[in-house]
Amino acid sequence: MAAPVLIAGGGIGGLTTALSLHAAGIDSLVVESARRIEPLGVGIQLLTHGVRELTELGLGDELAELGVPTAEYFFCDKSGNKLFAQPRGKATGSDWPQYCIHRGELHLMLLDEVRSRLGADAVRTGTRLHDFTQHGDGVEVVVTDRDSGATETLQAAALIGADGLNSTVRARLHPDERELAWSGQRMWRGVTEGVPPFLTGRSWVGASDGDVTLVAYPIGKDRTNWVCLVRVAEPGLLPEAADGPVDDRREGLLKEVLSHYEGWSLGWLDVRDLLERSGDVLEYPMVDRDPLPAWGSGRVTLLGDAAHPMYPAGGNGAAQAVLDARVLAYELARADGDVPAGLAAYERTRLEEANGVVMAARAMERATSPDTWDRARVTQMMEMYRKKAESEVAQLNSRPSYTPPRRE
């Protein structure tokens, strides 16, 4: 490919795509709308299949340094009574761990690796994608410099829309798409320092009464990530969508959260202390989008949240984006210069699987709604998930690598 692959979006998915393409000997350029990439956000999970792919990119030691290997999922009611627990990571027989990790630190680690391996100019910040046009042997991509307002047309062999939930690339490819789908829940998220270790010290905890849920887990450096989920409406289209894009960096108010947790007493975790001593609080709705029948066409496709935004139930978003990146690079390398064929193979491999995860996350969220919240329902849901996970562990351990032979 004479022109590089252009990646719109310098998030976890976009940066992993750049690293994966580099490992396959394919040039790329990342354009990122933010003027500066900073360690923003709170904690996320990186499931075993995502850890495998980043480890095969040579980042295993960095992940181990940043993340906390998850030992178990533990579900309970608002009094701390155990409803269900299951092992996670290597305790399931996986050859790779699962990590709870600070999203911003993972993001910066990937950025540093991209600039180290691809060069200091491999990521252009403050550069917003405006439009694109395909032609026979490439894509013309119009970008705007956010500081100067200057417009530039870049030539690319392919355009990868890794530009997140509010993707410009997706909007151009699918202009008639409906608004965001909302679970009816709002989420408040934060990180608290100095929380005494709870349960195994490496436990992911979910506590709920059906209307109100708390998630908490350690993310290293004496920090505990927490998420408060409060059901305020029936599922449907997001009412605020007309007011502008959903912003996952919106500042939240702790006083709006605390009243929902009056009377909660887990015993092994002081919920009020966890919330009151938090640093900055973020607040936004739990949303996804209906799965698409196709992500792109020709030399343009989607990846990560731009392709398949999903509810955080199951904590699979980051790992799915990493898988996208690895498969995309693998299929482009195997296509040996036939970019449309490579991107079509990527979509065939990933679309159905990723859409299935979107729908599974919806099902898991609905299983904890007020109408279905009870011990038997949660146990049934997680037992089904455990059986699926066990088969996935065997498949993950035996599957060939997505690292293609490097092209020179």
Side-chain angles (χ1 to χ4, degrees):
M1 298 177 210
V5 172
L6 193 143
I7 303 162
I12 290 171
L15 295 175
T16 304
T17 302
L19 290 171
S20 300
L21 290 170
H22 177 263
I26 299 173
D27 293 335
S28 67
L29 172 67
V30 179
V31 293
E32 165 58 43
S33 177
R35 291 181 173 88
R36 180 179 175 84
I37 297 178
E38 298 177 316
L40 302 174
V42 286
I44 60 171
Q45 297 176 75
L46 187 62
L47 303 191
T48 50
H49 43 286
V51 173
R52 172 180 178 175
E53 300 309 325
L54 292 182
T55 299
E56 292 188 352
L57 283 171
L59 300 173
D61 290 343
E62 288 83 351
L63 289 176
E65 183 176 347
L66 291 176
V68 175
T70 310
E72 67 166 353
Y73 279 1
F74 183 93
F75 292 84
C76 62
D77 61 22
K78 67 179 183 179
S79 298
N81 298 311
K82 175 181 171 182
L83 299 174
F84 195 89
Q86 62 176 202
R88 301 302 295 167
K90 286 198 168 184
T92 66
S94 168
D95 290 341
W96 292 271
Q98 173 178 324
Y99 287 115
C100 292
I101 192 168
H102 191 287
R103 182 193 181 281
E105 293 174 356
L106 173 61
H107 194 183
L108 282 193
M109 183 267 284
L110 293 171
L111 177 64
D112 289 345
E113 287 296 325
V114 169
R115 286 175 168 163
S116 173
R117 298 181 190 187
L118 280 69
D121 297 328
V123 180
R124 288 180 51 175
T125 56
T127 305
R128 176 175 289 151
L129 183 143
H130 178 69
D131 207 349
F132 60 87
T133 304
Q134 294 198 60
H135 47 79
D137 58 355
V139 186
E140 292 184 349
V141 183
V142 180
V143 298
T144 303
D145 184 284
R146 291 189 60 189
D147 289 331
S148 68
T151 296
E152 180 182 359
T153 299
L154 304 175
Q155 303 296 326
L159 171 61
I160 313 302
D163 47 345
L165 177 66
N166 303 303
S167 169
T168 299
V169 180
R170 180 170 176 143
R172 297 290 190 274
L173 289 169
H174 304 280
D176 298 324
E177 189 174 23
R178 296 200 311 167
E179 295 92 339
L180 289 166
W182 183 32
S183 70
Q185 295 186 83
R186 298 202 69 84
M187 301 189 297
W188 288 261
R189 306 191 65 166
V191 174
T192 305
E193 296 183 357
V195 176
F198 47 88
L199 300 179
T200 67
R202 296 189 289 119
S203 298
W204 179 102
V205 169
S208 184
D209 66 3
D211 281 311
V212 179
T213 299
L214 173 75
V215 171
Y217 50 84
I219 57 172
K221 300 180 182 178
D222 199 29
R223 298 168 300 180
T224 297
N225 179 81
W226 58 263
V227 187
C228 294
L229 304 98
V230 179
R231 197 175 303 277
V232 298
E234 292 298 316
L237 299 180
L238 182 67
E240 298 112 313
D243 298 331
V246 172
D247 182 4
D248 62 3
R249 300 174 186 176
R250 174 181 168 182
E251 183 177 352
L253 299 176
L254 189 61
K255 65 181 181 180
E256 295 180 351
V257 181
L258 289 172
S259 62
H260 295 288
Y261 294 87
E262 292 292 339
W264 281 51
S265 179
L266 301 185
W268 34 264
L269 177 62
D270 187 331
V271 174
R272 192 166 190 89
D273 177 70
L274 172 72
L275 301 181
E276 286 183 335
R277 291 196 302 104
S278 175
D280 296 337
V281 176
L282 305 177
E283 185 259 342
Y284 42 92
M286 182 194 286
V287 295
D288 66 3
R289 291 190 186 275
D290 292 338
L292 292 169
W295 289 338
S297 63
R299 293 173 177 267
V300 182
T301 194
L302 302 171
L303 183 145
D305 282 348
H308 45 73
M310 59 188 64
Y311 292 162
N316 215 338
Q320 290 297 311
V322 169
L323 265 176
D324 287 350
R326 292 278 286 162
V327 173
L328 185 145
Y330 177 76
E331 295 296 354
L332 276 181
R334 291 212 310 164
D336 195 25
D338 188 342
V339 172
L343 295 186
Y346 153 70
E347 185 173 300
R348 285 195 302 273
T349 302
R350 290 292 301 139
L351 183 138
E352 184 176 349
E353 179 179 333
N355 285 350
V357 176
V358 172
M359 300 310 294
R362 285 186 181 182
M364 290 178 69
E365 190 280 324
R366 289 168 184 161
T368 58
S369 69
D371 295 336
T372 57
W373 178 253
D374 58 49
R375 183 189 185 100
R377 176 67 172 170
V378 174
T379 301
Q380 179 187 36
M381 175 190 71
M382 294 311 301
E383 181 64 14
M384 290 173 61
Y385 188 86
R386 182 190 65 80
K387 289 180 178 179
K388 186 173 187 294
E390 284 181 350
S391 64
E392 288 176 348
V393 166
Q395 181 183 27
L396 177 65
N397 288 346
S398 61
R399 174 179 59 73
S401 174
Y402 283 129
T403 300
R406 183 177 173 86
R407 296 172 60 200
E408 301 298 342

